[in-house]
Amino acid sequence: MCGAELQSLPEGVQRVARALRDAGHPHGPVMLDDAARTAQQAADALGIHVGQIAKSIIFRRKADDAAVLVIASGDRRVDEKKVDAIVGKTGRADAEFVKASTGFSIGGVSPIAHARPPVTLIDRELFRFEEIWAAAGHPHGVFKLRPQDLEKLTGAPVADVVQAPAG
């Protein structure tokens, strides 16, 4: 992505694009025609399984007000008790907290290039897939990667942080 192309992107997507480039990641952000605020919307737009969407869920750790980022497979629900057992008691993060701590708005929170580095956990269920997609700092922005890339890009541990699938 050249400088002019990068400049035309929303600011959050520019931050993600720079972080990906600086890390030597082979895929830059892609802007979708329609918003992908939910995992299902993103999967539909990309023509992939909803589980291949690496959704970024932000919690607020009660002890120190730190942002806790859980990157989970789009077809799974985060189990807050499992998260709390790893990082300490958390609560819901409102839109203002998410924007202030990550630099991104809800619906476009990327797993990388945060305003302040969050405490991060990666859902092990993402490793069911060869290829996954994550938000790139804007509701229309996404980027392609492998679960192993997510570990490399974030330095975060892989953990069991989701509810067991129904059925």
Side-chain angles (χ1 to χ4, degrees):
M1 185 170 290
C2 73
E5 281 179 297
L6 189 61
Q7 299 269 323
S8 68
L9 295 172
E11 189 275 330
V13 181
Q14 289 182 39
R15 275 200 341 260
V16 171
R18 282 191 297 273
L20 291 169
R21 183 191 60 217
D22 292 350
H25 188 71
H27 306 287
V30 174
M31 296 302 286
L32 302 173
D33 291 336
D34 296 315
R37 291 182 192 278
T38 68
Q40 190 62 61
Q41 288 173 333
D44 291 347
L46 293 164
I48 60 174
H49 185 276
V50 70
Q52 289 177 266
I53 300 299
K55 62 184 179 180
S56 294
I57 310 293
I58 299 287
F59 296 95
R60 187 177 201 154
R61 187 162 56 191
K62 293 187 175 184
D64 59 3
D65 239 16
V68 176
L69 168 63
V70 178
I71 308 164
S73 187
D75 62 351
R76 299 292 193 255
R77 289 188 56 89
V78 173
D79 185 328
E80 291 179 49
K81 287 185 174 86
K82 289 181 179 180
V83 173
D84 289 358
I86 298 168
V87 302
K89 187 76 176 138
T90 61
R92 294 266 177 217
D94 63 15
E96 187 178 318
F97 177 81
V98 171
K99 180 71 171 175
S101 60
T102 69
F104 304 117
S105 296
I106 291 175
V109 176
S110 175
I112 63 169
H114 287 235
R116 291 192 307 262
V119 174
T120 305
L121 299 172
I122 299 170
D123 168 22
R124 69 180 184 190
E125 293 291 317
L126 284 165
F127 286 79
R128 296 174 290 156
F129 303 101
E130 283 290 313
E131 178 183 285
I132 58 175
W133 289 77
H138 185 275
H140 290 255
V142 293
F143 69 97
K144 181 168 64 170
L145 69 166
R146 298 170 310 139
Q148 298 85 348
D149 298 329
L150 196 53
E151 278 185 287
K152 184 177 131 196
L153 290 166
T154 64
V158 176
D160 174 11
V161 291
V162 297
Q163 298 172 2

